[in-house]
Amino acid sequence: MKKNYSIAIDGPSASGKSTVAKIIANKLNFIYVDTGAMYRAYTYAVLKANLDPKDEKASESLIGKIEISFDENNHITLNGVDVSKEVRSNEVADNVSYIASYKNIRLFLVESQRKIAQNKNVVMDGRDIGTYVLDHADLKIYQVATAEERANRRYKENLEKGLETSYEDCLHNVNKRDYIDSHRSFCPLHPADDSIEINTTDMTIEEVTNKILQIAKERGIY
Ligand code: CDP
């Protein structure tokens, strides 16, 4: 039977995971799964239902009642509707780490993530892909960069998308999410023992991508 390959890319907020993961998936013709978008879509659903994202029980009440998936363009959908723009709002960014700290919500989304990856070649990015979701991944990358550099990248990205934020807001959000993501009790953000760390602070996207592709080649992934 033909083996399916999986590449897990984890790391803190705005460390460049999704940009790099998309390019690699494209080059290798693998499916790209943005798990952060799924936590964002759940957060958006909670806000839309006028529930308090800081209230675990209230937030959990949507489990099994909403469907979070990706359409044929790989855009994130909530109950079949493309919400790729909505999930990038500041309100979602400010609340997503609370939602992502709730165990039952994580289990609900992890089930979908594993189903999407089943019998396919995938590049999946997030916080717990190498440590939990795909703990047997063929290659595990842990991408880091200084908080200042990450805030700077997010600030530029927001400007390009026409989103109103200041550099200070971005730095505050990056630091706040780092703290919540790495201190939650279930599946906190941390590198898998068998992951390869790449510090992207002074690297271009091309350099990071080439480095990962080179390691993937050495491992016989393509
Ligand atoms: O793009 P950015 O780095 O800002 O974040 P994201 O990948 O869109 O993820 C948004 C949030 O979802 C993160 O800050 C985490 O709180 C949460 N997340 C998670 O807990 N586990 C994942 N596998 C992916 C995201």
Side-chain angles (χ1 to χ4, degrees):
M1 208 176 77
K2 185 186 159 286
K3 177 176 165 35
N4 292 296
Y5 291 104
S6 49
I7 300 178
I9 305 185
D10 289 300
S13 201
S15 54
K17 302 178 302 287
S18 62
T19 309
V20 163
K22 257 183 235 164
I23 298 173
I24 291 170
N26 238 322
K27 288 214 165 152
L28 302 185
N29 206 15
F30 282 22
I31 286 174
Y32 165 56
V33 188
D34 176 358
T35 63
M38 299 174 81
Y39 289 93
R40 286 170 178 267
Y42 196 109
T43 307
Y44 175 66
V46 166
L47 294 168
K48 222 174 91 178
N50 276 322
L51 300 169
D52 178 4
K54 290 195 179 131
D55 182 336
E56 181 167 1
K57 277 270 157 301
S59 299
E60 278 180 358
S61 69
L62 298 183
I63 291 174
K65 296 203 182 101
I66 55 173
E67 202 198 312
I68 292 172
S69 186
F70 295 92
D71 66 14
E72 63 283 359
N73 298 315
N74 215 10
H75 288 179
I76 186 76
T77 60
L78 171 63
N79 299 327
V81 177
D82 182 340
V83 289
S84 49
K85 280 219 173 64
E86 290 80 352
V87 302
R88 297 290 145 196
S89 73
N90 292 333
E91 205 187 0
V92 168
D94 278 342
N95 288 292
V96 63
S97 285
Y98 300 118
I99 295 297
S101 70
Y102 305 145
K103 181 174 177 183
N104 291 330
I105 294 177
R106 296 197 73 81
L107 291 174
F108 171 59
L109 295 179
V110 167
E111 198 186 324
S112 307
Q113 291 157 12
R114 287 184 176 152
K115 262 194 206 139
I116 296 171
Q118 223 169 31
N119 307 321
K120 293 192 191 86
N121 292 320
V122 292
V123 181
M124 194 179 278
D125 79 346
R127 303 292 188 285
D128 59 343
I129 311 308
T131 52
Y132 186 72
V133 182
L134 304 177
D135 58 351
H136 286 91
D138 300 284
L139 173 58
K140 300 179 183 179
I141 300 292
Y142 194 76
Q143 238 172 262
V144 297
T146 62
E148 289 72 21
E149 173 60 20
R150 291 184 287 125
N152 205 17
R153 290 177 189 170
R154 185 48 43 90
Y155 176 61
K156 285 190 193 148
E157 192 184 329
N158 285 350
L159 274 187
E160 277 163 22
K161 286 184 181 152
L163 272 176
E164 289 254 339
T165 31
S166 65
Y167 167 78
E168 285 70 28
D169 284 345
C170 293
L171 184 61
H172 176 76
N173 183 260
V174 155
N175 281 325
K176 175 179 146 185
R177 282 205 279 146
D178 280 1
Y179 185 85
I180 304 177
D181 289 347
S182 49
H183 285 81
R184 65 182 174 229
S185 56
F186 185 61
C187 285
L189 169 69
H190 72 98
D193 293 340
D194 50 352
S195 66
I196 296 173
E197 181 173 305
I198 302 181
N199 187 334
T200 71
T201 307
D202 297 313
M203 288 173 85
T204 64
I205 289 165
E206 203 187 353
E207 285 169 340
V208 180
T209 309
N210 286 342
K211 183 162 183 171
I212 298 174
L213 283 170
Q214 189 197 328
I215 306 169
K217 192 163 206 170
E218 283 163 13
R219 294 209 177 171
I221 293 176
Y222 75 102

